[in-house]
Structures are given as structure tokens and as C-alpha cells.
Amino acid sequence: MKLKSGIKLLHHSIDFSDAIEINLGIIHHKDLISLKVPLIDEEIECHYEDDAYLPKREWRCLSNEENKIISTEAFNKDYNTIYLGILPLRLQNLFKELNLINCKTEKEVFEQFIINKNKVQETNSLLNEFVGTMSNTPVEFLSIATNFANCESVSVDKRKLPENHTFSDLKFIGLHKDSSNIEMTIYTSNKFGNRLTINLGADHRYFLFVNLTILQIYNMLRQKNVGKENINNKNICKLFFEYFPDYPILKIKQKPYEFYIAPTDNCIHDGATIQKQSLDIVLTYLGHFKI
Ligand SMILES: [Fe+2]
């Protein structure tokens, strides 16, 4: 299926020639042989939720026509634009001094924060200043999180996890939409702003997305005669995958200290750490970011 015009990508400060790829749609996780995830003393397969869908594994560069469809010269709205940028050098250097890139586990990352308390405070205030300049409304710190290397999905419903969980307890949800507000509906998925996520790990990672807004997906499903009453905020991704399994997924490479801004309530997306060797570390803020 061909790309439609929808969510656009802005990337003026980055050399983008090798940063984006496209594929031929999704596949149910059961139809793939799981990649092996390197843990400290063993290799283990990922587990998934029953309805988890992943991008097909064959990727290629975009054609000129596809590049035109997804590119924009200016940040449009916070609900329909994705931006890839890089942290200012001063912030990059402060993060380097925290020495997170040698951490092997989440515990080690938090230990580094405790050891370097003063440096963390300095980094925090500079970071808050930096992210604050990009949002008209107050910015909310969401999380600092780690993910294992070589995973095709990084998203897990953490509310379901037992205390002291291990990798085997994780059930990845695959491509999904976020709901940053519990009252969100498909009609209000564009109202709650966007997310800014910084790669603080040693290797690049990927941001995967479908370049369609939730309302566009709703309209595509209606054209397939899916009843209004049968589409809601919880099932719209699954319906999209059932009716449009061949709609391409886009994959953006996010190098260390690069950040993306994306309307994750309003588009189907996920992260991935495929081919990565080291611990994935990401810092995420919520806001109404605009460049
Ligand atoms: Fe998400």
C-alpha cells in the first residue's frame, strides 16, 4: 500500500540521508521467530501480548516521492508533526560526564545519578530550560527508562508487572497508540500534546511510526464500512492492522543525544533497539512542544 499524506517529519538540524527507512507493513508477533535478547549471563526471547503486531523486517530507503509525502519545511501542529533534533553540546557533555553509557542495567543508571548528585542537578536545570523553550505550556517530566538491546518493541504495560520483575515477565505490546489522559477518545487524541524523548544510551535506537493521525485512521476504517460504534480508542490500532496490514511503517534512526518530538497519542508508534548492543536509556517529557 502507498504512503498517504498525513503526519509530517521535520528534521532540519540533522543529516537525515540514512536516518529513515520504510517497509511493507505489519506482522503478528507469532508469525516471526523472536530475536534473541542479550542479557548479562544468557540470551532470551521476547514475550508479547496476544494482540502485539510488529513491523515486517524488510526495510528500504524512501523514494523521492515518499520523501516528499512525509517531509515538511516547518513544524505544523503538535498533533501532526514529528521532529528530530539534537541536544545542545553543553547538555551532551554534561550527560557524557554522568557516564551512563557504560551502565549495563537500570540499577547502575540510577546509581550513577546518586553518585553524581550535583552534576545531575546542573544537568536537570539546563535540560528543563532547554525543553521549556520548546513548549508554550508547562512541561511534565514523564520518565527515565531503560530497555534491553535487540528488541523489536520496547513498550510494556508496566501496571501489570510484579515487583522485582525480570525480563521474562515483560510482555511487549508492539505498535500502539498512547493515551496520556484516561478520558481520551479517538476524537480527542489530538488534544493532549506530544512527547519529547532523548536517547541517552551509547548506541542508536529506532522510533517506528505510521504517518497517519488517529482521525485519518478512523476515516479509513469507516470507508471499509466499520461501524462508528465499533471503533474506539482501545481497539483502533488492532482494527487498523486487520484492515490495512500492508500500510508501511516508517523507522527513524535516533542517534545518541538526539531527541524526537512526536504526537504519540495521535499516531501508531513504538521504539526498537534492534542491532543495538548496549542498554537503551531514554528520557521522556510531556508537553505541547513546537519548534
Ligand atoms: Fe507509546
Side-chain angles (χ1 to χ4, degrees):
M1 199 172 168
K2 277 188 152 188
L3 272 186
K4 290 172 180 280
S5 177
I7 290 174
K8 303 284 184 185
L9 189 60
L10 177 66
H11 49 81
H12 52 224
S13 64
I14 301 269
D15 172 12
F16 214 68
S17 46
D18 69 338
I20 183 154
E21 291 180 295
I22 189 168
N23 79 350
L24 293 172
I26 52 89
I27 186 163
H28 191 269
H29 74 92
K30 280 193 177 146
D31 296 325
L32 282 174
I33 296 170
S34 180
L35 299 178
K36 291 271 193 284
V37 175
L39 301 186
I40 285 170
D41 46 10
E42 59 179 331
E43 283 194 331
I44 192 165
E45 288 180 0
C46 291
H47 300 127
Y48 294 95
E49 296 283 356
D50 291 344
D51 288 336
Y53 289 87
L54 301 170
K56 286 184 177 166
R57 287 175 179 163
E58 296 77 25
W59 298 94
R60 63 165 172 82
C61 295
L62 272 68
S63 66
N64 286 341
E65 189 195 346
E66 288 163 343
N67 252 319
K68 274 188 202 148
I69 290 171
I70 64 148
S71 296
T72 179
E73 295 290 309
F75 202 102
N76 190 9
K77 304 285 187 197
D78 64 10
Y79 57 79
N80 66 9
T81 311
I82 291 173
Y83 177 75
L84 190 68
I86 188 151
L87 288 184
L89 265 181
R90 175 88 184 103
L91 265 171
Q92 290 186 40
N93 288 334
L94 279 169
F95 277 117
K96 278 176 194 161
E97 287 169 29
L98 290 177
N99 203 24
L100 302 180
I101 59 170
N102 291 321
C103 295
K104 302 256 184 304
T105 62
E106 189 162 272
K107 191 167 166 262
E108 287 180 18
V109 171
F110 288 110
E111 279 167 2
Q112 281 303 110
F113 287 148
I114 292 164
I115 295 166
N116 297 291
K117 207 174 157 194
N118 290 343
K119 199 147 279 183
V120 169
Q121 275 174 355
E122 188 187 349
T123 312
N124 236 341
S125 57
L126 205 64
L127 192 57
N128 285 337
E129 200 183 306
F130 175 65
V131 295
T133 58
M134 292 183 280
S135 180
N136 293 329
T137 57
V139 166
E140 186 189 332
F141 171 77
L142 184 68
S143 63
I144 178 140
T146 64
N147 300 297
F148 293 88
N150 213 29
C151 291
E152 288 173 280
S153 169
V154 297
S155 306
V156 172
D157 186 349
K158 290 193 170 143
R159 293 167 302 181
K160 292 182 183 174
L161 286 174
E163 218 177 301
N164 298 324
H165 59 268
T166 66
F167 183 81
S168 303
D169 296 313
L170 302 181
K171 279 195 163 184
F172 294 97
I173 60 177
L175 292 155
H176 65 281
K177 81 182 276 302
D178 295 341
S179 293
S180 60
N181 184 295
I182 49 166
E183 286 171 8
M184 185 175 293
T185 68
I186 42 180
Y187 310 104
T188 62
S189 291
N190 60 349
K191 303 281 188 228
F192 296 93
N194 47 12
R195 286 182 188 212
L196 185 153
T197 297
I198 307 166
N199 178 6
L200 297 180
D203 291 326
H204 66 257
R205 66 195 307 279
Y206 295 101
F207 178 65
L208 310 158
F209 70 101
V210 175
N211 74 322
L212 300 169
T213 65
I214 291 301
L215 216 48
Q216 276 183 292
I217 290 174
Y218 172 79
N219 289 329
M220 285 164 70
L221 290 169
R222 293 287 292 129
Q223 278 168 14
K224 292 275 186 186
N225 294 324
V226 183
K228 273 182 194 173
E229 64 288 358
N230 295 324
I231 312 171
N232 60 50
N233 188 49
K234 291 235 177 331
N235 69 6
I236 192 163
C237 299
K238 190 174 175 229
L239 286 172
F240 178 72
F241 298 141
E242 281 172 13
Y243 282 87
F244 303 98
D246 300 331
Y247 192 86
I249 308 294
L250 294 158
K251 182 173 84 167
I252 299 178
K253 185 190 275 187
Q254 184 191 9
K255 293 179 191 155
Y257 305 120
E258 286 181 354
F259 65 91
Y260 68 76
I261 293 170
T264 55
D265 289 331
N266 201 33
C267 74
I268 296 176
H269 67 278
D270 200 357
T273 60
I274 36 177
Q275 298 144 6
K276 191 170 169 138
Q277 302 298 319
S278 60
L279 188 71
D280 185 44
I281 310 170
V282 282
L283 187 61
T284 301
Y285 289 88
L286 292 177
H288 287 260
F289 297 105
K290 204 170 171 184
I291 302 298

